[in-house]
Amino acid sequence: MTTMTQGATDIRRHELAAFLRHRREHITPEQVGLPRGRRRRTPGLRREEIAHLSAVGVTWYTWLEQARDIQVSVQVLDALARTLLLDPSERAHLFQLAGAVDPTPATTCRTVTPAVRQVLEQLEPLPACVQNSRYDILAYNRTYGLLLCDLDALPPEDRNCMVLSFTHEPWRASIVHLEETQRLMAARFRATMAGHLAEPAWKMLLKRLRTESPEFREIWERHEVVAHRTKRKEFHNRYVGRITVEHTDMWLGPEAGPRLVTYAPADEESKERLERLQEMALSRVG
């Protein structure tokens, strides 16, 4: 490493330390569900509290705030970003200072061009979205945004069909055949992950699912594998009731990566209910 490169790395490390300290000192215990207590002298949170909430060692986190020369994984950076309640700009700044690439889905994606967004809008009232092979929801139209839960209310990093199907109660309650859906999704996820075993984003998603969902851990141990296929699905929407649809994947490139997911009504009643759901979605933004 050249002297100039080493100097830039040292500057980034000290900037990272200062940024972490500043964010820690400006988060109240109440914001992260901790009691304030009478003897608290530290403004904001203590280092050991950040370490505990992020599942990292106190000594290791202290070294990080002291700008020590230590390696930081993307999984740890993700945990710190969540604990410190970083907004998208702050999260991007954290990863840039650490010299790492954020593996979570960004709010923008090269696959989601203005033309693709126009297609999503034109498909209304059919619910439609763009997903990547990791089940991240990269874009969606208004009807899809209210089909299983209020997607607009979720941060981008939580808009993942695997995470939602195993951990988010409103989403889970909307799936009529939940257990079957979970098994098929986990099996497809395993089959697709075989080509991405070394990628941090995939490993981080798998770790999150195994940590947050006992159901996922049990299903994952079965080692089931299936390919993608068109399938009829049933949802119970909180606003308009039962909806039966035909699920179709349309890939946006030559490889099985990002795809346009559409739900066409399987009967007249479902068609009418999707039209009502679209009206509700439009009234929200109107």
Side-chain angles (χ1 to χ4, degrees):
M1 184 180 292
T2 65
T3 302
M4 184 176 297
T5 303
Q6 181 62 54
T9 301
D10 290 342
I11 292 172
R12 269 211 322 265
R13 213 166 47 238
H14 282 85
E15 285 292 324
L16 174 62
F19 180 63
L20 290 172
R21 284 196 303 271
H22 181 270
R23 290 298 302 142
R24 173 174 60 81
E25 292 171 355
H26 287 79
I27 297 176
T28 65
E30 293 84 356
Q31 285 178 283
V32 294
L34 293 176
R36 172 167 291 278
R38 296 182 178 179
R39 298 183 179 181
R40 182 175 294 273
R41 297 177 181 176
T42 305
L45 296 179
R46 303 185 182 99
R47 284 175 175 169
E48 56 266 29
E49 291 171 333
I50 292 293
H52 173 72
L53 292 169
S54 304
V56 299
V58 177
T59 301
W60 185 91
Y61 179 76
T62 300
W63 287 348
L64 198 58
E65 281 202 5
Q66 291 174 345
R68 301 276 191 98
D69 187 5
I70 58 176
Q71 296 297 316
V72 190
S73 70
V74 293
Q75 291 88 348
V76 168
L77 290 171
D78 175 72
L80 289 173
R82 293 172 187 273
T83 299
L84 294 169
L85 308 178
L86 302 186
D87 64 26
S89 297
E90 292 168 334
R91 180 186 175 95
H93 185 61
L94 173 70
F95 276 82
Q96 187 172 26
L97 290 176
V101 177
D102 188 350
T104 59
T107 53
T108 60
C109 175
R110 286 177 297 177
T111 302
V112 186
T113 63
V116 170
R117 292 190 181 277
Q118 186 175 358
V119 169
L120 288 173
E121 293 176 6
Q122 292 297 318
L123 284 170
E124 303 269 17
L126 271 63
C129 70
V130 175
Q131 295 178 20
N132 61 18
S133 55
R134 205 169 52 240
Y135 285 101
D136 296 320
I137 302 170
L138 306 177
Y140 52 92
N141 61 19
R142 295 186 181 98
T143 309
Y144 186 91
L146 287 183
L147 183 63
L148 290 103
C149 74
D150 186 355
L151 271 180
D152 288 346
L154 299 178
E157 61 267 23
D158 288 345
R159 294 174 193 163
N160 175 281
C161 293
M162 291 291 294
V163 171
L164 294 169
S165 295
F166 283 95
T167 68
H168 188 68
E169 284 308 316
W171 184 282
R172 290 158 54 87
S174 298
I175 300 174
V176 174
H177 304 290
L178 180 61
E179 291 184 14
E180 178 187 357
T181 298
Q182 288 175 327
R183 287 189 62 183
L184 285 172
M185 290 185 68
R188 288 198 296 265
F189 181 70
R190 180 181 286 280
T192 309
M193 189 175 179
H196 305 272
L197 293 175
E199 296 179 25
W202 288 79
K203 293 193 289 186
M204 190 172 73
L205 176 56
L206 178 60
K207 181 179 179 181
R208 180 179 180 183
L209 290 165
R210 291 175 67 95
T211 300
E212 297 182 12
S213 173
E215 289 173 303
F216 177 82
R217 289 199 301 272
E218 192 275 327
I219 293 172
W220 191 250
E221 293 305 317
R222 300 177 189 176
H223 290 267
E224 296 176 334
V225 177
V226 298
H228 285 271
R229 63 188 184 213
T230 300
K231 189 177 185 299
R232 177 167 291 199
K233 294 189 175 183
E234 292 182 82
F235 301 122
H236 184 81
N237 182 266
R238 60 183 294 189
Y239 301 111
V240 299
R242 179 76 69 99
I243 298 172
T244 305
V245 295
E246 299 288 352
H247 173 178
T248 302
D249 289 320
M250 291 176 279
W251 272 263
L252 299 177
E255 299 179 356
R259 63 189 183 274
L260 180 67
V261 178
T262 63
Y263 292 131
D267 52 56
E268 190 62 30
E269 186 175 43
S270 295
K271 179 177 180 292
E272 293 173 357
R273 290 179 177 179
L274 285 176
E275 289 171 351
R276 294 211 308 272
L277 188 61
Q278 182 201 16
E279 291 174 2
M280 292 185 63
L282 290 172
S283 67
R284 282 189 165 201
V285 296

